[in-house]
């Protein structure tokens, strides 16, 4: 089996396989968290599964383990394919893979035993932070070598997004995790809140978003067999993302005593995010104009298209939620949890899965074992995520309205109990989708029909 693989792409394949595994692990920890909210006594004697520990494993594993692993693997594949570099340092790719996944692996082994830095989305201990930073440095070095030694003169927009991600995340990650203070990973007082939400929001905006958008720019034109509609729009989307996104995280702490100028800037630029979002979506959708049927019939294309729709939904939500009058009702309840799920799983996750099913056959040199299982995964994850959005939105509005009216927590909890039970039930659908996806990846590697991409460069496309 191994002999079939392109040696330059073995580490890329490792990223894709790891992402499929972490999707299962991350969602199982999510189920443990959901059960805790329905029946808190379930894990009373199992401290490593209580909500405060399981949730940190869930969020970090899904973001860094599932979404990021697959998006990075796909990015390395298309960077190599689009740039056609004369040099591709395979050992550095393996180094980046090992360092990245050691950090992800540390989550279940540290958070479960109460060892973390205790800051939301920044729980990794300092050594894991160092591991992620070194991994990003290696990927940056790999891309620098590839760009410098490329045979293809034009830098396609997907490469812009992929390279840009690691250039700015090196700064965002080190500052947001306060890495110069390894003993705490935090600053005192309100400064820490500002730094934390600068980091937490940019995890979605400057890690998941550019990796997902870059992948969508790669997959959609290939599946539809059309040229990108506008290179100019793609550049506007790229540069306005950098211009507006970096500092809007402070809209998460509008109800705190941070400087007013920071509140105004974060809200104003949250609204300005309509520019990069709409330019990206218009560009992608017009590119697919006249070939929508081809996109919908392709399992990978359908996932990426659905991911762009979730991108629109979560972006509209994000702008509306940034208004102080709306945030007073929505921010500190389940409404925001529903928003986070459609951002990470709906937008980033769907496009990652679409990229996985599109690129895996080219990396493994085997056709997909089962297109039906991809369709089944799409259905199960869509059922689960749509259900999540509905029940968490309703529960969040109940919580917000109750708090506005001064009701006490113990009276609100029974009101949202049915929604928490439904949340756990819909989570089972997402877990089933994750397991089916892992089975399909493994069976593709073991039993997929061999083919040679050099002979059939578009062998999987209609």
């Amino acid at each position: 089996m191994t002999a079939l693989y392109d040696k330059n792409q073995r580490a890329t394949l490792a990223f894709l396989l790891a992402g499929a595994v972490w999707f299962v692990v991350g969602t199982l920890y999510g189920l443990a968290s959901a059960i805790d909210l329905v029946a808190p006594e379930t894990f009373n004697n199992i401290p490593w599964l209580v909500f405060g520990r399981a949730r940190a494993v869930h969020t970090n594993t899904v973001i860094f383990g599932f979404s990021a692993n697959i998006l990075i693997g796909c990015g390395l594949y298309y960077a190599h394919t689009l740039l056609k570099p004369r040099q591709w340092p395979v050992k550095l790719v393996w180094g980046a893979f090992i360092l990245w996944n050691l950090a992800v692996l540390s989550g279940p082994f540290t958070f479960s035993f109460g060892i973390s830095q205790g800051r939301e989305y920044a729980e990794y201990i300092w050594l894991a932070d160092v591991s992620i930073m070194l991994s990003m440095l290696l990927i940056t070095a790999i891309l620098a070598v590839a760009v410098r030694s490329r045979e293809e003169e034009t830098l396609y927009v997907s490469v812009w997004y992929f390279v840009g991600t690691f250039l700015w995340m090196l700064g965002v990650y080190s500052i947001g995790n306060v890495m110069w203070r390894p003993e705490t990973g935090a600053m005192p007082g309100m400064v820490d809140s500002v730094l934390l939400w600068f980091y937490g929001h940019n995890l979605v905006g400057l890690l998941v978003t550019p990796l997902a958008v870059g992948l969508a720019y790669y997959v959609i034109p290939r599946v539809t067999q059309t040229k990108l509609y506008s290179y100019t729009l793609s550049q506007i989307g790229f540069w306005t993302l950098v211009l507006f996104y970096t500092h809007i995280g402070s809209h998460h702490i509008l109800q705190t005593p941070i400087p007013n100028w920071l509140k105004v800037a974060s809200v104003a630029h949250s609204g300005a995010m309509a520019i990069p979002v709409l330019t990206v979506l218009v560009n992608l959708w017009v590119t697919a104009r006249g070939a929508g049927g081809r996109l919908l019939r392709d399992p990978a294309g359908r996932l990426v298209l659905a991911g762009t729709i979730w991108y629109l939904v979560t972006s509209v939500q994000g702008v509306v939620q940034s208004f102080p009058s709306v945030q007073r009702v929505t921010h500190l309840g389940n409404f925001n949890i529903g928003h986070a799920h459609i951002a990470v799983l709906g937008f980033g996750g769907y496009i990652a899965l679409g990229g996985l099913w599109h690129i895996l056959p080219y990396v493994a040199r085997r056709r997909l074992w089962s297109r039906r299982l991809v369709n089944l995964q799409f259905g199960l994850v869509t059922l689960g995520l749509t259900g999540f959005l509905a029940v968490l939105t309703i529960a969040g509005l109940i919580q917000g309205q109750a708090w506005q009216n001064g009701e006490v927590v113990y009276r609100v909890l029974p009101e949202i109990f049915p929604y928490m039970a439904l949340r756990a039930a819909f989570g089972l659908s997402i877990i089933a989708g994750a397991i089916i996806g892992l089975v399909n990846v493994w069976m593709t590697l073991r039993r997929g029909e061999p083919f040679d991409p050099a002979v059939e460069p578009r062998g999987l496309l209609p």
Side-chain angles (χ1 to χ4, degrees), residues 307-326:
T308 63
I309 295 170
W310 282 120
Y311 187 30
L312 177 64
V313 175
T314 193
S315 298
V316 170
Q317 264 196 347
V319 171
V320 174
Q321 286 174 234
S322 70
F323 300 142
S325 56
V326 176

Side-chain angles (χ1 to χ4, degrees), residues 80-97:
H80 186 268
T81 302
L82 294 171
L83 294 172
K84 298 180 173 62
R86 288 182 290 274
Q87 296 176 298
W88 185 253
V90 176
K91 290 182 180 178
L92 293 190
V93 182
W94 275 113
F97 167 77

Side-chain angles (χ1 to χ4, degrees), residues 82-394:
L82 294 171
L83 294 172
K84 298 180 173 62
R86 288 182 290 274
Q87 296 176 298
W88 185 253
V90 176
K91 290 182 180 178
L92 293 190
V93 182
W94 275 113
F97 167 77
I98 292 168
L99 288 167
W100 188 275
N101 282 279
L102 280 176
V104 177
L105 185 64
S106 74
F109 285 98
T110 54
F111 305 158
S112 298
F113 298 98
I115 303 169
S116 86
Q117 294 192 327
R119 299 162 82 233
E120 190 173 14
Y121 303 125
E123 290 95 343
Y124 282 133
I125 60 173
W126 187 76
L127 285 176
D129 291 339
V130 172
S131 191
I132 287 178
M133 284 293 294
L134 289 175
S135 178
M136 290 195 293
L137 278 170
L138 288 181
I139 295 173
T140 305
I142 293 161
L143 294 173
V145 170
V147 170
R148 185 179 174 82
S149 65
R150 72 187 190 275
E151 294 180 357
E152 179 62 47
E153 186 175 341
T154 303
L155 285 178
Y156 183 62
V157 62
S158 295
V159 178
W160 278 79
Y161 276 103
F162 195 55
V163 173
T165 298
F166 296 99
L167 290 178
W168 54 59
M169 277 307 296
L170 284 170
V172 167
Y173 196 92
S174 57
I175 295 171
N177 282 277
V178 194
M179 289 187 64
W180 61 93
R181 302 185 69 170
E183 68 281 3
T184 61
M187 296 289 287
M190 282 305 302
V191 175
D192 193 62
S193 293
V194 174
L195 288 181
L196 177 61
W197 283 109
F198 159 78
Y199 166 73
H201 207 265
N202 282 335
L203 259 189
V204 177
L206 296 182
L207 177 68
V208 174
T209 296
L211 291 177
V213 169
L215 182 55
Y217 269 124
Y218 179 75
V219 173
I220 287 181
R222 281 180 56 82
V223 171
T224 57
Q225 300 178 40
T226 53
K227 290 184 178 179
L228 181 64
Y229 170 67
S230 170
Y231 188 76
T232 301
L233 281 182
S234 73
Q235 290 298 299
I236 291 173
F238 176 83
W239 289 109
T240 51
L241 175 73
V242 182
L243 179 64
F244 294 129
Y245 209 106
T246 50
H247 48 283
I248 65 176
S250 293
H251 70 208
H252 282 278
I253 45 177
L254 292 180
Q255 318 301 328
T256 65
I258 62 172
N260 280 334
W261 66 265
L262 190 53
K263 295 181 182 180
V264 172
S266 64
V267 174
H269 287 173
S270 295
M273 276 301 297
I275 297 173
V277 172
L278 291 179
T279 51
V280 165
L281 293 177
V282 167
N283 207 10
L284 288 171
W285 290 345
V286 176
T287 296
R289 182 179 54 183
R294 191 174 296 154
L295 197 60
L296 290 172
R297 285 193 300 274
D298 185 278
R302 189 185 311 125
L303 274 160
V304 173
L305 177 63
T308 63
I309 295 170
W310 282 120
Y311 187 30
L312 177 64
V313 175
T314 193
S315 298
V316 170
Q317 264 196 347
V319 171
V320 174
Q321 286 174 234
S322 70
F323 300 142
S325 56
V326 176
Q327 198 175 104
R328 289 191 193 98
V329 178
T330 62
H331 194 62
L332 297 177
N334 281 286
F335 191 98
N336 219 29
I337 308 302
H339 172 66
H341 275 85
I342 62 171
V344 175
L345 177 57
F347 164 48
Y350 270 57
I351 294 179
L353 290 172
L356 168 70
W357 299 123
H358 182 77
I359 288 173
L360 177 66
Y362 295 99
V363 176
R365 299 185 175 190
R366 290 175 180 267
R367 301 188 194 282
L368 287 182
W369 184 64
S370 173
R371 292 168 66 100
R372 288 184 179 179
L373 286 187
V374 179
N375 293 333
L376 180 58
Q377 182 189 49
F378 175 80
L380 287 168
V381 175
T382 300
L383 172 66
L385 187 60
T386 306
F388 256 51
L389 178 61
V391 299
L392 291 175
T393 298
I394 296 170

